[in-house]
Amino acid sequence: KCWGGGLSGQLGDGPGADSNVPVPPSIGPVMAFATGYNFTCAVDMVGVTCWGNNTMGQLGLGSSGAQMNTPVPSAFSF
């Protein structure tokens, strides 16, 4: 689960708002999280999924652009 600042979508729950309580991201069971400045990545049974700010390509989609408030299609899968 994720909590804290969420204006860049880094909580992964959709609304793009802050939360002072833990909220589950909209993906399946997560084995590990990694966080950065305004973005989050998770490892699940399928691969690596990221969400949040993508202005410098930090979501691993192969391009930069708008933020993603929910977990996205990742370039890395198992």
Side-chain angles (χ1 to χ4, degrees):
K1 296 184 178 182
C2 300
W3 61 93
L7 294 179
S8 293
Q10 64 267 39
L11 300 184
D13 64 341
D18 298 344
S19 178
N20 60 2
V21 297
V23 295
S26 56
I27 60 173
V30 173
M31 297 184 297
F33 283 105
T35 61
Y37 184 71
N38 290 336
F39 72 98
T40 304
C41 293
V43 177
D44 62 13
M45 296 301 289
V46 177
V48 178
T49 305
C50 299
W51 56 91
N53 190 312
N54 192 40
T55 56
M56 300 182 119
Q58 56 267 57
L59 300 184
L61 302 174
S63 63
S64 60
Q67 72 186 30
M68 301 292 181
N69 292 342
T70 56
V72 294
S74 173
F76 179 78
S77 60
F78 298 122

